[in-house]
Amino acid sequence: MTVRSSRYIQKLRKLGQAWQERGTRGFLRFLYDRLKLRFRKHITYPQWVAQHRFTKADRIAAEQQIERWKRRPLFSVILPVYNVDERWLQQAIESVRKQVYPNWELCIADDASTRPTIKPLLLHYNKLDPRIKVVFRETNGNIVAASNSALELATGDYIALLDHDDELAIDALYENAKLINQHPDADFIYSDEDKIDANGRRSDPFFKPDWSPDYFHSCMYTCHLGVYRTSLVREIGGFRPGYDGSQDYDLVLRVVEKTKNIYHIPKILYHWRIISSSVTSGEYAKPWAYEAARRALTDMIARSPYPGWVEAGPRPGFYRIRRKILDYPLVSIVIPSAGTVAETVDGSRCLLEHCIQSIRDRTSYRNFEIVVVDGYDIPEPILNAIAGPDLRLVHCADPFNFAQRINLGVAAAQGDVVLLLNDDMEVLTPDWLESMLEFAQQTEVGAVGAKLFFSNGKIQHVGVMVLGGNPGHAFRNVDGDHPGYFLSNLVNRNYLAITAACLMMRRDLFLQLGGMDEAFPLNYNDVDLCLKAHQAGYRNVVTPYAQLIHYESASREPGLRPKEWQNLNQKWQAYFKTLGDNDPYYNPNLSHNEVLFEL
């Protein structure tokens, strides 16, 4: 047999395996994705911008749609001004005047600027357009005072925040009005954004996830364009003195405590100006803003039912919220295992024994029990090696079914919190249980996951995306120190699903959700569990501060079994449609071929 014919046979076998795993519909999607990936060209952001320009035809269609709307909300664009370069201020104002959607007012508060060109320019626009209101403050009070002065001028249904050197996209208010017509309950709306230089060149886009509370507690990711129901902003007292530089962050932290009607428009509707005086000019441009953000987060914790504190994150402008562990609950670590011995870089090793030893030796949180579920196949020497007062053994004589064995282990568990753990794991960070418990104890949280590495240091798991019905690990196989998209690999972040290789959940919630679906004996039982939690209104979160090595598939053969993909998609097809066939923690502008957050 020639090498060429051998490769041909291997390809046919792979195609046959894909058909068995996915069924006919899934196999056709698999072929489409593979072909799309082969011929896909990575595009640059300037190319993307050129493909997504707002055209004359778009404008005509938008104007026709506006005429048919039942609701035409008035937007009050809040614009605090202080000693800005005249050309940037003019461009900011013109970006509002050029809006496709006409029902707006521009509320400008000059904070006692000393530049002689600013007052005449503002008076000119005030006379030029009756929708432009201006107030001149007698004394300089900084951005909070100026923003509140502008807010006093507002008569609109919603306020939109604009910095004095930035620009709104031409369709910014139109897209917000469109969403409000679809969702009149909207209280807080945010969009994607990018940066723009002095020559009008756009760069550094931020394609954001839908509302992600734990990511928001890590950084002020919603930022621009932020649109808020005016009555709600006034109800909470507007912008608070003492939070200059992070007044928007503090505002949103208080807004989201009053409403769950939060919407995200996955479109670039705001352009930050890259100039030396802007926060976009570098990490250390405005250190007082980062300190103000820390105070705002500290206040948020004080208002919450979960006491804690704020720690610095991996870079300026990023934070880690810590929570005190309440009532020191017993954690039941449930490990299905056959006591497999595998070859590693360190030689032959019993994975289960090594896993349990790393738990016992490295874990700082001591209130745990270990529940090992086996099929009467763990060798006696290994049972003797792992025996201890913290370990109990549960037997199952049925053929291996991961979901079934997890369910049996949870049923036998005595803890209020369960941790599902593969036997091919090794603990790296001593406070891994505390880091996960901080989230699992919160009643709004469903599944909690950890950051897992392959034995070669590459990333195995920092969260699971479900794109087009295909679950995939974000940043799988990239370098372990890769920061991720806008530092998402280094801070707490919400995901739709989490691997059961290391998954924590309150035991009562696990049982409330019906446990793991035993119709998924090997794969997707964890995705199914997380989807059940998300559908029930809980949020799932991954913390990179809990870290373990995952010797993945060392204890069993990798790959899907027949119909597993098809069964998952049949079960969740209707729910996927309610999510718009998009993972809410990804972004539809990013590539669905690989979970690498690329265009």
Side-chain angles (χ1 to χ4, degrees):
M1 182 182 296
T2 65
V3 173
R4 185 174 181 180
S5 60
S6 176
R7 288 176 179 172
Y8 180 72
I9 291 172
Q10 288 178 356
K11 287 183 179 180
L12 286 177
R13 285 175 179 168
K14 286 183 179 180
L15 290 173
Q17 182 183 8
W19 178 78
Q20 285 186 329
E21 293 172 350
R22 297 166 179 264
T24 302
R25 186 173 70 89
F27 176 66
L28 292 174
R29 180 186 288 272
F30 170 79
L31 284 180
Y32 172 78
D33 290 342
R34 290 293 295 269
L35 289 171
K36 189 176 178 182
L37 183 61
R38 171 173 289 186
F39 295 106
R40 180 173 71 97
K41 294 181 179 178
H42 286 283
I43 65 171
T44 64
Y45 186 55
Q47 290 172 328
W48 186 94
V49 169
Q51 294 174 7
H52 292 82
R53 289 196 182 280
F54 194 80
T55 65
K56 184 177 180 180
D58 293 330
R59 186 182 191 102
I60 294 171
E63 290 171 345
Q64 292 174 344
Q65 193 172 49
I66 291 169
E67 288 296 319
R68 296 193 296 268
W69 283 348
K70 293 181 180 179
R71 295 179 178 84
R72 297 182 188 176
L74 175 64
F75 294 99
S76 297
V77 181
I78 303 300
L79 180 62
V81 172
Y82 180 69
N83 279 352
V84 64
D85 188 302
E86 180 183 354
R87 58 177 172 165
W88 306 139
L89 177 57
Q90 188 170 355
Q91 290 190 27
I93 294 172
E94 286 295 338
S95 76
V96 179
R97 295 189 68 229
K98 292 176 182 176
Q99 288 298 300
V100 174
Y101 182 75
N103 202 18
W104 55 262
E105 61 180 11
L106 179 56
C107 303
I108 305 174
D110 177 66
D111 196 22
S113 294
T114 56
R115 284 196 176 194
T117 56
I118 291 180
K119 188 170 185 177
L121 179 66
L122 295 181
L123 289 173
H124 164 73
Y125 275 110
N126 179 236
K127 293 179 181 179
L128 182 66
D129 195 322
R131 295 173 295 179
I132 298 178
K133 305 176 180 180
V134 183
V135 62
F136 296 95
R137 292 175 48 82
E138 294 183 0
T139 58
N140 177 258
N142 290 326
I143 192 169
V144 166
S147 297
N148 281 330
S149 293
L151 181 60
E152 290 175 3
L153 301 175
T155 61
D157 306 289
Y158 291 84
I159 66 167
L161 306 184
L162 174 63
D163 289 350
H164 62 193
D165 48 10
D166 297 339
E167 295 183 29
L168 298 183
I170 192 171
D171 55 339
L173 299 183
Y174 161 74
E175 288 292 345
N176 277 273
K178 179 180 177 181
L179 185 141
I180 292 165
N181 272 272
Q182 296 168 343
H183 304 284
D185 64 337
D187 290 321
F188 168 37
I189 309 166
Y190 65 95
S191 72
D192 298 341
E193 61 190 82
D194 66 8
K195 296 182 176 65
I196 189 168
D197 67 12
N199 297 312
R201 289 188 294 261
R202 290 167 53 188
S203 63
D204 198 19
F206 187 7
F207 293 111
K208 306 169 188 176
D210 289 349
W211 178 237
S212 307
D214 298 298
Y215 188 43
F216 187 72
H217 290 164
S218 300
C219 61
M220 197 333 187
Y221 84 86
T222 61
C223 211
H224 296 301
L225 173 67
V227 173
Y228 313 86
R229 190 181 294 275
T230 307
S231 58
L232 183 53
V233 171
R234 290 199 166 117
E235 178 187 336
I236 65 174
F239 301 93
R240 289 202 299 169
Y243 297 86
D244 295 275
S246 289
Q247 69 284 344
D248 297 5
Y249 201 3
D250 176 64
L251 181 78
V252 179
L253 286 167
R254 290 178 291 129
V255 163
V256 298
E257 293 172 0
K258 296 290 185 179
T259 182
K260 295 187 181 299
N261 302 325
I262 304 166
Y263 293 89
H264 166 225
I265 300 174
K267 295 186 177 184
I268 301 285
L269 301 182
Y270 193 95
H271 313 302
W272 285 54
R273 182 77 60 189
I274 306 174
I275 53 178
S276 59
S277 60
S278 171
V279 74
T280 60
S281 61
E283 292 180 358
Y284 302 95
K286 295 182 178 180
W288 66 89
Y290 304 138
E291 182 54 37
R294 185 175 184 135
R295 290 197 304 275
L297 289 167
T298 300
D299 289 351
M300 177 276 297
I301 293 172
R303 295 190 300 266
S304 82
Y306 304 104
W309 64 97
V310 183
E311 292 181 355
R315 293 182 190 171
F318 290 82
Y319 308 89
R320 182 185 182 187
I321 301 297
R322 304 301 308 273
R323 303 286 188 173
K324 293 181 180 178
I325 305 300
L326 305 177
D327 302 325
Y328 199 63
L330 175 66
V331 177
S332 298
I333 304 173
V334 179
I335 308 176
S337 181
T340 304
V341 175
E343 292 298 324
T344 71
V345 292
D346 299 319
S348 297
R349 169 186 290 172
C350 173
L351 296 170
L352 175 63
E353 183 180 356
H354 182 71
C355 174
I356 291 176
Q357 182 180 349
S358 77
I359 294 171
R360 288 169 172 166
D361 292 348
R362 299 177 187 172
T363 303
S364 56
Y365 188 86
R366 302 312 300 175
N367 195 22
F368 65 81
E369 65 170 0
I370 300 172
V371 181
V372 174
V373 186
D374 86 320
Y376 294 93
D377 48 7
I378 298 179
E380 193 69 26
I382 294 175
L383 289 176
N384 293 333
I386 65 174
D390 60 357
L391 184 140
R392 287 185 297 116
L393 195 62
V394 176
H395 293 296
C396 177
D398 296 334
F400 184 81
N401 180 315
F402 181 86
Q404 179 193 32
R405 295 197 180 187
I406 286 292
N407 289 339
L408 289 172
V410 172
Q414 297 179 350
D416 291 328
V417 177
V418 293
L419 177 76
L420 318 183
L421 194 70
N422 277 20
D423 64 355
D424 53 354
M425 307 292 291
E426 177 183 343
V427 174
L428 292 177
T429 51
D431 62 346
W432 66 297
L433 288 183
E434 292 97 326
S435 297
M436 300 177 77
L437 265 175
E438 290 180 25
F439 290 102
Q441 68 181 352
Q442 299 179 40
T443 56
E444 306 89 352
V445 172
V448 182
K451 186 173 186 177
L452 309 181
F453 301 91
F454 289 115
S455 57
N456 62 4
K458 303 283 189 178
I459 290 176
Q460 190 268 334
H461 173 268
V462 286
V464 176
M465 299 288 188
V466 184
L467 306 177
N470 293 308
H473 287 215
F475 294 99
R476 181 185 174 94
N477 266 323
V478 305
D479 290 341
D481 60 356
H482 191 292
Y485 191 65
F486 284 83
L487 267 65
S488 58
N489 290 352
L490 304 180
V491 296
N492 299 319
R493 193 186 191 281
N494 299 104
Y495 282 91
L496 188 55
I498 288 157
T499 178
C502 183
L503 185 154
M504 183 180 283
M505 183 178 284
R506 296 183 305 284
R507 184 174 182 272
D508 60 352
L509 176 58
F510 182 90
L511 297 176
Q512 172 192 322
L513 296 172
M516 282 197 156
D517 187 342
E518 296 176 13
F520 299 99
L522 293 176
N523 297 290
Y524 298 148
N525 37 59
D526 44 10
V527 174
D528 177 76
L529 177 67
C530 291
L531 287 171
K532 287 192 290 187
H534 190 268
Q535 185 182 46
Y538 299 92
R539 67 180 191 269
N540 304 318
V541 59
V542 171
T543 173
Y545 301 103
Q547 300 181 3
L548 301 91
I549 295 175
H550 186 190
Y551 301 94
E552 188 185 42
S553 299
S555 56
R556 64 179 176 88
E557 288 297 316
L560 299 178
R561 297 299 184 268
K563 307 299 184 184
E564 286 183 318
W565 183 92
Q566 186 176 13
N567 292 341
L568 179 77
N569 278 265
Q570 285 177 344
K571 179 175 181 179
W572 290 101
Q573 183 178 20
Y575 189 56
F576 289 155
K577 289 191 180 301
T578 68
L579 297 176
D581 288 322
N582 186 63
D583 188 309
Y585 302 107
Y586 199 53
N587 188 294
N589 293 292
L590 299 171
S591 171
H592 279 43
N593 294 315
E594 299 170 283
V595 194
L596 294 174
F597 293 78
E598 297 176 339
L599 288 176

